[in-house]
Amino acid sequence: MKTRAVLLGIAVAMAGCASTEMNSTWTDPSAKGASLSKVAVICLAKDPGLRRMAEDTAASQLVGAQAVPSYQVLGDTDLKDRDAVKAKLKDQGFQGVLFMRLAGVTERISPMQYGSFDGYYDYAAPALYDPAFVQTDTVVHVVSSLYSLQDDKLIWSGVSQTFDPASARSFMTDVSKAVAKSIQKDRLVL
């Protein structure tokens, strides 16, 4: 019984450790070195508070470019009105737009790894009598896309996965850092 309590404690501790990874990215080969210096960040979210927090966080991570949260420049422009959004951004001198949207949240069962028969047996055998004890991870998927307004084309796209986010703020910080690192690696922003 003591072993099971220790294992449960380890599982809870592991669930509080979020990690984000870019599991796929694409960059237009002709866009490398595009050096966009003024980029609007748009997070497509129904919740206005989440949108603002996500845009603020992502804009702060794009070091080297003047990255601006869209809510600061679009005001009450309806995000569903593509032409109005595009015209307003172009009028204000934006060269690019970084879109971020939540693509989905999934739950998955995570196998617990043990290096010995005894260790695994001590974990697995009690589960026979209490099948509710299963290690699951929450995985949040975000699709991010960087567009050149000048050329009207996609120049970078990435899909990130965040495992077991502790909060919306920490989750967006992790995603924003991963996205910014990938975009900056290809010198798409100054």
Side-chain angles (χ1 to χ4, degrees):
M1 196 54 106
K2 186 175 181 181
T3 302
R4 186 171 173 174
V6 170
L7 292 174
L8 185 57
I10 290 170
V12 169
M14 287 174 31
C17 300
S19 65
T20 296
E21 60 186 42
M22 298 300 296
N23 62 337
S24 67
T25 61
W26 171 85
T27 302
D28 180 344
S30 67
K32 289 192 178 194
S35 299
L36 303 174
S37 60
K38 191 171 182 183
V39 177
V41 178
I42 298 176
C43 178
L44 299 175
K46 290 181 182 181
D47 181 318
L50 179 62
R51 174 188 169 202
R52 287 176 179 247
M53 191 252 334
E55 290 181 3
D56 285 337
T57 304
S60 72
Q61 296 299 319
L62 284 176
V63 178
Q66 180 186 358
V68 181
S70 73
Y71 73 86
Q72 292 181 2
V73 294
L74 294 177
D76 60 357
T77 304
D78 183 3
L79 289 179
K80 293 178 189 173
D81 188 345
R82 172 185 37 100
D83 293 331
V85 168
K86 189 174 180 180
K88 199 160 194 177
L89 293 175
K90 280 187 163 186
D91 287 346
Q92 295 184 40
F94 285 92
Q95 300 166 322
V97 177
L98 174 62
F99 280 100
M100 300 176 79
R101 72 174 175 84
L102 179 68
V105 178
T106 58
E107 295 283 329
R108 73 175 193 182
I109 296 174
S110 299
M112 297 192 78
Q113 301 296 320
Y114 292 91
S116 70
F117 172 81
D118 293 344
Y120 183 75
Y121 194 88
D122 289 345
Y123 158 74
L128 176 64
Y129 301 104
D130 185 7
F133 180 71
V134 176
Q135 172 67 35
T136 59
D137 291 318
T138 300
V139 184
V140 183
H141 309 270
V142 174
V143 175
S144 303
S145 303
L146 180 64
Y147 289 89
S148 167
L149 284 177
Q150 299 160 329
D151 301 326
D152 194 29
K153 70 176 191 174
L154 176 67
I155 60 174
W156 179 89
S157 181
V159 179
S160 63
Q161 292 182 342
T162 303
F163 299 88
D164 294 320
S167 69
R169 180 168 303 283
S170 67
F171 153 70
M172 279 313 302
T173 299
D174 290 348
V175 170
S176 299
K177 284 179 182 177
V179 167
K181 182 177 179 180
S182 184
I183 288 172
Q184 289 163 337
K185 176 185 73 173
D186 289 335
R187 299 178 188 244
L188 298 174
V189 294
L190 283 176

